[in-house]
Amino acid sequence: MNLSELKTGRKALINKVKGTGSFRKRIMEMGFVEGKTVEVIKNAPLQDPVEYRIMGYNVSIRKAEAALIEVSEDCSTQNDTQKDNGLHVVEPGKVANAQRQDNVINVALVGNPNSGKTTLFNYISGLREKVGNYGGVTVSLKTAEVKFGGYTIKITDLPGTYSLTAYSDDEKIVHDFIIDQVPDIVLNVVDASNLERNLFLTTQLIDMDIKVVVALNMYDELENSGTKFDYGLLSKMTGIPFVPTVATKKTGIEDILARIVSFYNGEEDISRHIHINYGHPVEDSIKRIREVLEKHTDVNFLSTISPRYTALKLLENDGDFNNRVRNLSPDYREISSVVEKEKGIINEHFEDETENLITGAKYGFIAGALKETLTVNDSSPSAVRTRRIDEFATHRIWGIPIFLAFMWLMFQATFTIGEHPMNFIEFLIDGTADFMAGFIPQGMLNDLIVDGIIAGVGGVLVFLPNILILFFFISFFEDTGYMARVVFIVDRVMHRIGLHGKSFIPMLIGFGCSVPAIMATRTINSKKNRIVTMLVIPFMSCGAKLPVYILIIGTFFPDNPAMMLFAVYTIGVFIAMLSSLLLKKTILRGEDAPFVMELPPYRIPTLKSTSYHMWDKASQYLKKMGGIILAASIVVWALGYFPRPADEDATDLSVLENSYIGRIGRISEPVFEPLGFDWKSNVAIVTGFAAKEIVVSTLSILHSTEEGDDLSERLINSGSFEHNGSHRLKSFTFLIFILLYLPCIATVVAVKNESGKWKWAIFSIFFTTSVAWIVSFAVFNIGKFL
């Protein structure tokens, strides 16, 4: 039978993984290999994907992919531990020392997603890089230096990866860095509570013949579960130092650094060179391919990359290594001929593909090693806690309502809790403006400081508390592991509209900022799915838009602000989904990528981690105040101040209408008049291209001549948003346009960098603005009709 036919709560033994290409290899690398037991936990609320448990961890797979895995419910032949079968061969002698010119040790930090790699990096380096309890948080290289034992240890944090086979752009970053930069030491961070799956990456590092130190992170969870692990014996067996760590508590940090220095200097007694024995005839094929490689390939290439590892990657049909060998060997055809011949011999002998045999052998090696060193307690507190929470969080009936309730709670708190500190900041800004107005003599400088800088920057600064509250909730969802459950819940909807379930994580990150959200699309394997996701991310309500929402909703919809904010965010998601469906049906047609995603255990967020997230966003927000928003406020004020009228008795309103900015607003009227916007709103929209917060500062400056103690009162008194005695239709239409129209400059550049082409960046400008105009036109005119 197929895995998709297995009922909830039932277990089965994996017999075979069918299919071809990257899915088959990836699913096997994640532990779906012959002889392993898999259990069906539950279906998602929309019945697809399905959550399974294998090798002590939970993973979600769509039914279409599960149908490619052949299983048997007869577990009497269970061989979950797998026999060792001499799968590890130890070669005596210490690993050779790296050639060094100084006291700098280059360390590459690698590990599976959710292994706590970046948390460890933060505590070693003292930096505050973003962490989260779901895959894909780290999507770029981050480097830091630390002094220890007379050495400068230069650590590079690489994206999380399950394998060194590059399926997605973030995994390619890891693969290329280790191959091209040749670090002195690889610090492999593994989740100690999930060793069998995490050690697969370690076996690939062993094949590379490089120096490895393993950090057994979250070791406290392993100990609390009652599991016993003799990591000292495993160190001796593999020739690799295994060091227990608890990154969140800074436990084991100095031990890690000490072992790095010791291993680098060749002072580790356990250090020895091992190979994983893949058995006959695979080992014979490796030997013959090595011989032809050493004969026909660039010597420098084989001096930095193990010939044995290269031979293995060629046998595994690794496209990157095929290209590398092709570029560096004048006799690639002869090498390719030998490789194909050897694959044919292996396939004929085993009646299976070589890469599957190699993957199975690695897990056999891991199983044999853990059989001698690990005693597992399946009823760990972490696993029990996760199962109990998921009974509600991903319940088939209550899962979606619970998610929506969390979203509503986040928006309600953003308004209600943020109102008091917001009022206090507004009081301070008004007091500062009054003081400066009385302190500085009347004239252009007074107007610049009071009506330009304080009105512009202060009009945005007042929303800082709301920004912090929003990011507190987002950080909480990320750190607990709930974010991965949201993807599990919505994948079927995402699949129907042509997006991958993993696209939802970048879209959720887009609630914070579009730039890191677009970078997070690197975790999506399909190039077309990546581009579609990039193009729809600007429709998400980023933190920069939040000040505009709070201003307009708080002014014109004070009765139920949380529900209005929830509606705006929901409309953004809805438009993003419709747009992705349109793009996938037209210019970006392509096959759907398989969905395979780990569901990490729930963890309690630390106050320090959450505070780091909030402070990081606050500091970015404040930097904008002193940078682009300050500059834009001065420019907007100057455009509204000049040219000065000849008539000194001219009213402030007539001066503003005849200024440069007034002329810009009038010129743009034919475009925006069908949407119901006046010229002041037009100007705010135009300036918002630099950064969406500038919309608020522009409105603050342009309405500074109106009567009222605060900006809300001045907006009401101005009549800019009034229509037939009501402000609701125009203000709501304005909100929709701000939600959907062109992304900021930084986002446009991010689209270009991640897609590799300016055409997609330029297309995103025209596409989002066209969607914004059409939707806003429909809202305004349907509203008028009703």
Side-chain angles (χ1 to χ4, degrees):
M1 66 183 298
N2 296 328
L3 182 57
S4 59
E5 300 170 325
L6 196 63
K7 302 299 183 184
T8 301
R10 303 288 295 179
K11 294 183 180 181
L13 207 64
I14 296 175
N15 295 332
K16 184 179 181 181
V17 179
K18 297 176 286 185
T20 58
S22 62
F23 164 73
R24 187 183 188 196
K25 188 166 178 59
R26 166 46 52 89
I27 201 72
M28 292 187 70
E29 289 175 344
M30 294 187 72
F32 286 80
V33 293
E34 182 182 351
K36 293 297 179 184
T37 300
V38 60
E39 178 184 3
V40 184
I41 303 300
K42 66 157 68 77
N43 288 20
L46 299 176
Q47 300 305 302
D48 200 16
V50 181
E51 180 181 357
Y52 299 96
R53 186 164 182 82
I54 188 169
M55 287 191 180
Y57 80 104
N58 292 14
V59 61
S60 58
I61 307 174
R62 287 188 191 135
K63 290 180 179 178
E65 279 82 56
L68 299 174
I69 302 173
E70 191 177 288
V71 299
S72 170
E73 281 200 90
D74 180 12
C75 294
S76 59
T77 58
Q78 179 176 344
N79 187 28
D80 224 19
T81 56
Q82 295 190 356
K83 293 181 180 179
D84 188 356
N85 293 328
L87 287 170
H88 57 283
V89 175
V90 178
E91 295 182 351
K94 294 183 178 180
V95 178
N97 286 333
Q99 293 292 325
R100 60 181 186 269
Q101 305 297 324
D102 49 33
N103 63 343
V104 175
I105 306 176
N106 293 300
V107 176
L109 190 60
V110 304
N112 285 185
N114 310 311
S115 62
K117 176 176 55 62
T118 300
T119 302
L120 185 69
F121 174 78
N122 284 342
Y123 281 109
I124 290 176
S125 64
L127 298 180
R128 298 176 178 178
E129 296 299 337
K130 180 175 174 58
V131 298
N133 189 18
Y134 62 95
V137 177
T138 305
V139 291
S140 59
L141 304 184
K142 302 175 184 70
T143 302
E145 294 184 359
V146 59
K147 304 289 185 180
F148 187 87
Y151 288 87
T152 298
I153 302 176
K154 187 177 181 180
I155 303 176
T156 301
D157 182 24
L158 301 172
T161 181
Y162 293 106
S163 166
L164 292 180
T165 303
Y167 296 108
S168 58
D169 284 7
D170 57 327
E171 292 173 331
K172 183 170 173 53
I173 290 173
V174 180
H175 176 268
D176 289 351
F177 185 88
I178 295 176
I179 295 297
D180 298 330
Q181 301 301 319
V182 196
D184 301 312
I185 303 280
V186 171
L187 178 55
N188 178 203
V189 182
V190 305
D191 179 354
S193 63
N194 188 7
L195 286 168
E196 190 169 14
R197 207 281 316 288
N198 275 247
L199 288 174
F200 181 84
L201 180 59
T202 311
T203 64
Q204 293 185 314
L205 296 170
I206 288 173
D207 283 335
M208 295 184 77
D209 291 350
I210 56 179
K211 288 185 174 183
V212 179
V213 174
V214 172
L216 294 167
N217 201 28
M218 307 181 212
Y219 199 76
D220 55 339
E221 291 188 15
L222 181 144
E223 291 181 317
N224 293 337
S225 70
T227 296
K228 306 296 181 184
F229 181 42
D230 189 348
Y231 60 85
L233 177 58
L234 186 59
S235 295
K236 293 178 182 178
M237 292 168 59
T238 59
I240 295 173
F242 282 75
V243 184
T245 64
V246 183
T248 56
K249 299 177 182 177
K250 295 188 178 181
T251 303
I253 302 296
E254 289 199 5
D255 292 340
I256 283 289
L257 297 176
R259 297 302 284 271
I260 288 173
V261 171
S262 176
F263 205 11
Y264 180 72
N265 286 325
E267 297 170 354
E268 286 286 343
D269 292 335
I270 64 165
S271 173
R272 53 185 176 177
H273 202 112
I274 73 165
H275 286 160
I276 297 172
N277 185 355
Y278 295 101
H280 173 76
V282 177
E283 286 292 338
D284 296 336
S285 294
I286 292 172
K287 181 179 179 181
R288 285 190 283 268
I289 294 173
R290 280 186 62 171
E291 289 173 354
V292 73
L293 280 171
E294 290 167 350
K295 181 179 179 182
H296 296 290
T297 307
D298 189 303
V299 176
N300 292 328
F301 175 73
L302 294 180
S303 67
T304 57
I305 303 176
S306 162
R308 176 181 173 85
Y309 180 69
T310 304
L312 273 169
K313 300 306 285 182
L314 292 175
L315 282 173
E316 289 183 294
N317 297 311
D318 187 290
D320 181 77
F321 264 80
N322 269 312
N323 292 333
R324 287 174 182 267
V325 174
R326 181 186 289 109
N327 294 334
L328 293 170
S329 173
D331 298 309
Y332 173 73
R333 287 187 179 179
E334 183 173 346
I335 296 172
S336 178
S337 175
V338 172
V339 171
E340 291 303 316
K341 179 181 177 182
E342 296 303 326
K343 285 195 291 189
I345 293 172
I346 294 170
N347 293 345
E348 183 178 348
H349 189 275
F350 289 104
E351 296 184 354
D352 199 357
E353 295 183 18
T354 312
E355 55 262 40
N356 302 335
L357 297 170
I358 292 173
T359 300
K362 289 182 188 296
Y363 274 115
F365 168 76
I366 294 167
L370 293 181
K371 184 178 181 181
E372 299 181 39
T373 59
L374 188 71
T375 305
V376 178
N377 176 13
D378 289 327
S379 58
S380 69
S382 174
V384 172
R385 179 177 65 241
T386 295
R387 284 197 297 268
R388 288 177 177 173
I389 296 174
D390 269 347
E391 286 177 4
F392 297 96
T394 59
H395 190 273
R396 66 186 183 88
I397 296 175
W398 303 113
I400 294 176
I402 286 173
F403 166 62
L404 295 176
F406 279 145
M407 294 295 103
W408 180 86
L409 176 65
M410 178 172 71
F411 299 133
Q412 181 69 29
T414 299
F415 268 102
T416 55
I417 299 176
E419 181 179 3
H420 302 294
M422 186 176 76
N423 290 338
F424 177 70
I425 294 175
E426 191 171 30
F427 170 77
L428 293 178
I429 292 172
D430 290 342
T432 303
D434 291 340
F435 172 77
M436 297 303 292
F439 180 76
I440 302 174
Q442 291 295 317
M444 187 171 71
L445 180 61
N446 182 297
D447 293 341
L448 169 62
I449 301 239
V450 176
D451 297 331
I453 295 175
I454 296 178
V457 176
V460 181
L461 182 62
V462 72
F463 299 106
L464 177 61
N466 308 89
I467 295 286
L468 291 177
I469 293 168
L470 177 71
F471 279 103
F472 168 81
F473 277 91
I474 292 176
S475 173
F476 181 82
F477 292 149
E478 291 175 347
D479 291 349
T480 56
Y482 182 66
M483 193 73 85
R485 269 68 185 184
V486 174
V487 176
F488 175 68
I489 291 170
V490 304
D491 174 67
R492 185 170 186 177
V493 175
M494 302 295 285
H495 189 207
R496 289 286 178 89
I497 63 171
L499 280 178
H500 197 280
K502 286 186 178 179
S503 297
F504 200 68
I505 282 188
M507 289 169 72
L508 283 177
I509 295 173
F511 283 165
C513 178
S514 295
V515 174
I518 287 168
M519 293 176 67
T521 61
R522 295 176 185 175
T523 61
I524 302 170
N525 300 346
S526 167
K527 182 72 173 179
K528 288 185 177 180
N529 278 347
R530 277 195 69 200
I531 293 174
V532 171
T533 308
M534 287 183 214
L535 294 176
V536 302
I537 280 174
F539 293 134
M540 309 306 287
S541 294
C542 68
K545 298 174 186 175
L546 185 61
V548 188
Y549 299 162
I550 293 173
L551 172 64
I552 300 299
I553 292 173
T555 301
F556 301 115
F557 302 91
D559 297 336
N560 203 343
M563 192 57 70
M564 279 299 303
L565 187 61
F566 180 81
V568 171
Y569 273 71
T570 303
I571 291 169
V573 175
F574 181 70
I575 295 297
M577 290 182 170
L578 286 181
S579 299
S580 66
L581 183 61
L582 173 66
L583 293 169
K584 287 289 287 185
K585 294 290 185 183
T586 54
I587 62 174
L588 285 166
R589 289 193 188 97
E591 293 184 4
D592 292 332
F595 176 77
V596 182
M597 183 173 182
E598 180 182 356
L599 295 175
Y602 286 102
R603 294 189 171 96
I604 300 173
T606 64
L607 179 61
K608 189 168 188 177
S609 174
T610 304
S611 300
Y612 276 166
H613 287 186
M614 294 175 66
W615 169 246
D616 179 55
K617 296 305 175 185
S619 62
Q620 290 180 23
Y621 198 69
L622 292 172
K623 285 176 183 176
K624 274 190 174 183
M625 299 299 107
I628 189 170
I629 292 173
L630 173 61
S633 297
I634 294 173
V635 170
V636 170
W637 172 85
L639 291 174
Y641 193 81
F642 298 104
R644 299 309 294 163
D647 183 5
E648 295 183 359
D649 297 326
T651 64
D652 291 338
L653 180 60
S654 66
V655 170
L656 194 58
E657 287 180 341
N658 291 294
S659 67
Y660 294 125
I661 206 164
R663 297 171 192 177
I664 293 172
R666 297 298 183 191
I667 291 171
S668 60
E669 276 187 338
V671 177
F672 295 111
E673 188 175 9
L675 311 183
F677 302 156
D678 73 343
W679 70 270
K680 293 182 181 180
S681 300
N682 302 347
V683 171
I685 288 170
V686 172
T687 58
F689 176 53
K692 292 299 180 285
E693 297 97 334
I694 296 174
V695 172
V696 174
S697 60
T698 302
L699 289 174
S700 179
I701 293 169
L702 294 179
H703 290 86
S704 61
T705 59
E706 309 289 345
E707 294 183 1
D709 294 332
D710 58 27
L711 181 54
S712 294
E713 290 184 16
R714 294 197 297 272
L715 286 176
I716 293 173
N717 294 331
S718 71
S720 292
F721 294 95
E722 187 175 354
H723 174 72
N724 290 340
S726 173
H727 294 90
R728 291 178 178 255
L729 179 58
K730 280 191 176 182
S731 59
F732 184 69
T733 306
F734 184 75
L735 278 179
I736 296 301
F737 195 87
I738 295 298
L739 163 69
L740 302 175
Y741 88 115
L742 57 81
C744 67
I745 294 173
T747 301
V748 172
V749 173
V751 171
K752 182 267 173 186
N753 291 339
E754 295 301 315
S755 67
K757 296 180 179 179
W758 270 111
K759 75 172 185 178
W760 292 118
I762 296 170
F763 178 80
S764 71
I765 294 174
F766 288 99
F767 178 67
T768 54
T769 306
S770 299
V771 170
W773 196 93
I774 293 169
V775 175
S776 300
F777 178 82
V779 167
F780 181 66
N781 286 279
I782 292 173
K784 282 201 304 183
F785 176 77
L786 295 177

